[in-house]
Amino acid sequence: MLRGLSKLTWLEIKIFVREPLGVIGTVGIPVLIYVMFGRVLGSQVRRGAPSVPRAISADLPILASLLISMSTVLSLIAILAIYREGGILRRLRATPLRPYTILTAHVLVKLLFTAVTLAAMLLAGRSYYSLDAGVPLVSFTLSLLFSTVSILSLGFLIASIVPTARFAQPIGTLILYPMLGISGLFVPVASLPPMLQAVARALPLTYAVSLLRGIWHGEGWSAHISDVIVLAVMLLVFTAVSAKVFRWE
């Protein structure tokens, strides 16, 4: 199984790299946004200017990291839809590889490029943002990968029911990006209307924001154990539901 998984993962990496739009969307755009904000507002951020919104001054790494995660999920949704429509999933399922091995390979590829994009973002933005020496980059990377896996499980659920490749990315965009607005990144969840609060607490992005923000600002994992538990539960639930409804043809 491990041999088949490694071969399929390597194959998926090569396929992904050969598709320029996928690389640009997953790696290029989040890094570009981070650098653009840095060039325009970097000096104000360093001075702590009150006119700069918190999402830019304090939480820009969180926003950029979530954009990485969202781009990763949208890429997964599009690829699975294309594979299904082209009959690739059906042919893969006819091989000795188990279905979960096939899907795990896609997850590993997405996590790899999430880590690569985060590293590129931090390297490209260091000229504009001064990283606090106390920022735990290893813990933050792990928390981003864990958050990405949890959001990927929602992506699998979306990919399970998207009818065609043509509509995969637009539908994924319409579902995923509005989640940013109620995730607590821009406005505290407690200040939202009760109905939106209920929606926010049912989405993994809300807990990912809390976890990433806490880790970036020096809080330990133990301070966010509830976020980790909720994300883990959502991961299991979304994965189980996806396994039931996933269409291979």
Side-chain angles (χ1 to χ4, degrees), residues 1-242:
M1 175 190 134
L2 288 177
R3 186 178 178 185
L5 176 61
S6 61
K7 285 188 174 181
L8 184 58
T9 301
W10 177 239
L11 176 63
E12 291 296 339
I13 289 172
K14 291 191 290 185
I15 292 173
F16 183 80
V17 171
R18 287 171 187 166
E19 178 52 58
L21 288 179
V23 176
I24 291 171
T26 303
V27 180
I29 290 178
V31 173
L32 180 63
I33 290 173
Y34 189 70
V35 171
M36 242 171 45
F37 275 119
R39 293 198 65 170
V40 174
L41 298 170
S43 60
Q44 297 180 54
V45 169
R46 286 191 291 271
R47 292 198 312 267
S51 59
V52 181
R54 176 187 168 90
I56 303 301
S57 60
D59 288 337
L60 183 59
I62 316 303
L63 174 59
S65 299
L66 288 174
L67 288 175
I68 294 171
S69 183
M70 304 289 256
S71 298
T72 299
V73 176
L74 287 174
S75 173
L76 174 77
I77 293 171
I79 287 173
L80 289 180
I82 292 169
Y83 277 24
R84 180 189 293 116
E85 199 167 15
I88 298 172
L89 285 179
R90 183 174 63 251
R91 291 196 292 273
L92 281 173
R93 201 181 183 193
T95 68
L97 293 173
R98 301 278 185 181
Y100 60 80
T101 304
I102 297 168
L103 298 180
T104 299
H106 284 282
V107 171
L108 290 176
V109 172
K110 300 309 174 192
L111 291 182
L112 172 64
F113 279 99
T114 297
V116 168
T117 309
L118 178 63
M121 181 189 81
L122 294 175
L123 286 173
R126 64 182 178 178
S127 302
Y128 310 107
Y129 300 98
S130 54
L131 273 181
D132 191 339
V135 173
L137 290 179
V138 174
S139 289
F140 184 78
T141 302
L142 291 175
S143 63
L144 176 60
L145 294 178
F146 176 63
S147 299
T148 301
V149 170
S150 302
I151 302 171
L152 276 173
S153 65
L154 178 58
F156 271 123
L157 184 57
I158 297 170
S160 301
I161 57 179
V162 169
T164 63
R166 181 181 178 185
F167 296 105
Q169 210 146 17
I171 290 174
T173 300
L174 286 173
I175 293 174
L176 291 172
Y177 278 107
M179 288 166 44
L180 278 173
I182 60 173
S183 65
L185 186 64
F186 303 100
V187 179
V189 173
S191 67
L192 295 172
M195 184 175 294
L196 285 181
Q197 287 187 39
V199 173
R201 293 193 175 101
L203 298 172
L205 207 60
T206 304
Y207 304 95
V209 166
S210 176
L211 176 62
L212 292 170
R213 178 183 280 159
I215 297 296
W216 183 265
H217 293 295
E219 299 173 7
W221 285 78
S222 58
H224 292 273
I225 192 66
S226 59
D227 295 323
V228 173
I229 291 173
V230 173
L231 284 172
V233 169
M234 288 184 173
L235 169 62
L236 293 174
V237 170
F238 289 146
T239 301
V241 174
S242 300

